[in-house]
Amino acid sequence: QSVLTQPPSVSGAPGQRVTISCTGSNSNIGAYYGVHWYQQLPGTAPKLLIYDDTNRPSGVPDRFSASKSGTSASLAITGLQAEDEADYYCQSYDRSLSGSVFGGGTKLTVL
Amino acid sequence: EVQMVESGGGLVKPGGSLRLSCAASGFTFGSYSMNWVRQAPGKGLEWVSSISRGSDEIQYADSVKGRFAISRANAKNSVYLHMNSLRVEDTAVYYCARDWDGYNTFDYWGQGILVTVSS
C-alpha cells in the first residue's frame, strides 16, 4: 500500500479534461513538502511533468496543470490527446519515513 | 545533453549480492544529490535510496535498510547501489535519478536496469 493514494485508473475521450487525485497526510503533502508529478509512457523511464506543486518544466504543454490543498494534490489534463495515454505518479517527501514517497500510480486511458 | 546509464543488473539467487552503477554525463555531477528508484514488474514506482552531493546525507527506504548501500564517486561521475541479501521481492527495474533542487525533484532518469532475484 502506497503512502500517497491515487485512483488506479481514469479515462476520458479526446479533447476532454481529466483529473488525477493524490491524497497524503500531515507527514508529507500536509507538511508543506512539494508535490511532483511524473508521466511514464509504456516501456520508458518516468518523466517529470510538474514540480513543486504547480510548476511545469520547460517543454511540458500547458494542457497539464496541478494544484495542492491541505493533504491532497491534483493533476489536471485538458484537451486530452491519444499521446497522453500513460501512467501518472505523484511524489513527495515524508518526514516520518525520512524519504521520498510515491503514489501507486494512475493509468490514463484515452477512449 | 544530460544522460545517465545504469549497468550491473542481471539474474541473482536469493541471498546473493549485486552492485548497480549509474554513469552520468552532461552536467556537473558533484552538484546534485542522486537517487535510486525501482519498479517491480507491472507495479508502481518505489523510492529506494538517496545520497547528497558530498555523501554526508544518505537515506534508505525501510524495505532495503540494512541490506542496500548507496555510494558515489564524484571524480568518476558515478553513483552506485550495493545490494546484499537479495530477496525475490527486490526483483525490479532500477532507475537512477537526479535530484534537481535538493528537494527530491527527480528531473532526469536513466533508462533503467533489470534485476531479477530468482532461484
Side-chain angles (χ1 to χ4, degrees):
Chain A
Q1 185 135 357
S2 302
V3 173
L4 304 180
T5 301
Q6 298 179 235
S9 63
V10 297
S11 63
Q16 284 190 333
R17 177 181 186 268
V18 296
T19 62
I20 298 172
S21 61
C22 174
T23 303
S25 69
N26 288 324
S27 183
N28 40 68
I29 296 175
Y32 305 105
Y33 292 109
V35 178
H36 319 300
W37 292 89
Y38 300 86
Q39 177 192 60
Q40 187 176 33
L41 298 170
T44 69
K47 168 192 169 185
L48 181 64
L49 200 63
I50 298 285
Y51 67 95
D52 289 347
D53 303 338
T54 61
N55 300 287
R56 281 188 310 276
S58 173
V60 173
D62 60 6
R63 300 187 297 106
F64 295 90
S65 64
S67 62
K68 185 174 90 172
S69 178
T71 57
S72 295
S74 182
L75 173 72
I77 310 172
T78 59
L80 264 184
Q81 300 179 3
E83 67 207 48
D84 298 332
E85 194 160 280
D87 294 322
Y88 293 83
Y89 294 89
C90 61
Q91 178 234 337
S92 187
Y93 184 86
D94 191 288
R95 64 184 177 191
S96 296
L97 298 174
S98 297
S100 285
V101 288
F102 284 95
T106 298
K107 181 175 180 59
L108 169 62
T109 300
V110 181
L111 302 171
Chain B
E1 179 192 3
V2 172
Q3 273 196 317
M4 291 177 297
V5 179
E6 300 93 341
S7 60
L11 175 63
V12 61
K13 288 181 167 48
S17 298
L18 213 53
R19 188 186 84 155
L20 302 183
S21 300
C22 170
S25 61
F27 65 100
T28 305
F29 181 76
S31 296
Y32 295 87
S33 296
M34 297 295 294
N35 289 258
W36 287 95
V37 177
R38 69 183 180 183
Q39 186 170 34
K43 301 297 184 182
L45 301 172
E46 180 189 14
W47 171 79
V48 173
S49 181
S50 67
I51 185 167
S52 62
R53 295 174 293 180
S55 303
D56 53 319
E57 292 182 26
I58 288 175
Q59 297 177 323
Y60 298 100
D62 287 344
S63 57
V64 307
K65 204 170 290 183
R67 301 187 299 122
F68 290 12
I70 191 171
S71 63
R72 64 189 295 163
N74 287 343
K76 296 184 178 180
N77 292 340
S78 294
V79 60
Y80 308 99
L81 188 66
H82 310 259
M83 304 185 294
N84 299 314
S85 303
L86 282 162
R87 305 167 179 168
V88 170
E89 54 265 34
D90 294 319
T91 295
V93 172
Y94 285 73
Y95 297 98
C96 64
R98 187 180 84 165
D99 182 345
W100 169 24
D101 57 3
Y103 292 99
N104 306 284
T105 309
F106 305 151
D107 64 338
Y108 283 97
W109 298 62
Q111 85 286 352
I113 190 79
L114 178 62
V115 171
T116 303
V117 185
S118 174
S119 55

